[in-house]
Amino acid sequence: MRLGAATRPSETENESWERFEALYRSSRDDVYAYVLTLLGDRAAAEDVTAVAFERAYRRRRTFDRHRGDERGWLFGIARNAALDELRRRRRTATLVVDPEDVSEDALAADGDEDEDEVVRRAAVREALAALAPRERELIALKFHAGLTNAELASVLGVSESNAGTLLHRAVQKLRRAVNAPV
């Protein structure tokens, strides 16, 4: 045996790492946006995103292409990590203050948005807050994470047609809430 041969990673380990790195680069912002939508707390979302990628890295060899694609698998892990955080929060004392909220003034200053855009964003935020948690999760997975209906189905453990139906109902409910008279 050559010196250092036992410590050198094999080709399959290198390929596994490269595939994981590509998944990380293509999905990190989407995973963070999804987790932030579920938790509503930027710091916690950063931590949970890191936990999700750590879990995915440790389990990368268990991924089975026959059961779905890597993004769906990753978002399933992120979902479970976020739900673990929400359960942990429930067991601990309630927060003294609400999680950081983005004010309308901050939104306007950030993107030089006009007043109508600020009002529309506020209406969407309020409508999202009024949705059931499962509906908010569907919206986040579809529009923040950009998952397909097949990936949604994989993450949620339902059929693809059921995922599409649930998503359609959630979007319709969101539209009605946004367009409801004040």
Side-chain angles (χ1 to χ4, degrees):
M1 181 163 104
R2 290 178 305 186
L3 183 61
T7 60
R8 204 178 312 155
S10 71
E11 279 302 305
T12 57
E13 287 177 18
N14 284 337
E15 290 169 4
S16 173
W17 167 250
E18 289 170 4
R19 235 182 42 245
F20 181 80
E21 185 177 14
L23 178 64
Y24 171 78
R25 290 181 188 279
S26 69
S27 302
R28 68 180 173 227
D29 294 338
D30 295 338
V31 169
Y32 172 77
Y34 167 62
V35 171
L36 178 60
T37 301
L38 292 180
L39 301 178
D41 177 349
R42 292 175 198 265
E46 289 173 3
D47 293 343
V48 169
T49 299
V51 167
F53 277 103
E54 179 186 349
R55 288 179 185 175
Y57 180 75
R58 283 191 319 236
R59 298 177 187 155
R60 71 190 184 281
R61 289 184 187 91
T62 66
F63 171 72
D64 181 4
R65 288 203 181 279
H66 295 99
R67 298 184 69 203
D69 70 351
E70 289 175 325
R71 269 182 71 88
W73 172 76
L74 174 63
F75 276 91
I77 292 171
R79 177 180 189 250
N80 289 335
L83 293 176
D84 289 347
E85 172 63 17
L86 290 171
R87 281 190 288 274
R88 186 195 64 75
R89 286 181 181 184
R90 248 183 281 155
R91 284 191 303 265
T92 60
T94 58
L95 294 173
V96 176
V97 294
D98 287 333
E100 176 183 341
D101 187 23
V102 180
S103 71
E104 292 173 13
D105 293 336
L107 283 173
D110 269 353
D112 293 327
E113 296 173 298
D114 63 14
E115 223 173 287
D116 289 339
E117 184 65 22
V118 171
V119 170
R120 278 193 299 272
R121 284 184 180 269
V124 170
R125 273 197 313 276
E126 287 177 30
L128 276 169
L131 292 177
R134 176 115 169 158
E135 294 166 330
R136 277 195 308 273
E137 182 179 20
L138 281 162
I139 300 289
L141 284 168
K142 184 66 175 184
F143 299 106
H144 284 256
L147 297 186
T148 65
N149 286 5
E151 292 168 328
L152 276 172
S154 174
V155 170
L156 299 174
V158 299
S159 71
E160 186 174 348
S161 62
N162 192 8
T165 300
L166 293 170
L167 178 64
H168 175 75
R169 289 178 184 161
V171 168
Q172 292 302 318
K173 192 172 181 182
L174 182 63
R175 280 188 183 135
R176 285 191 302 273
V178 167
N179 295 324
V182 180

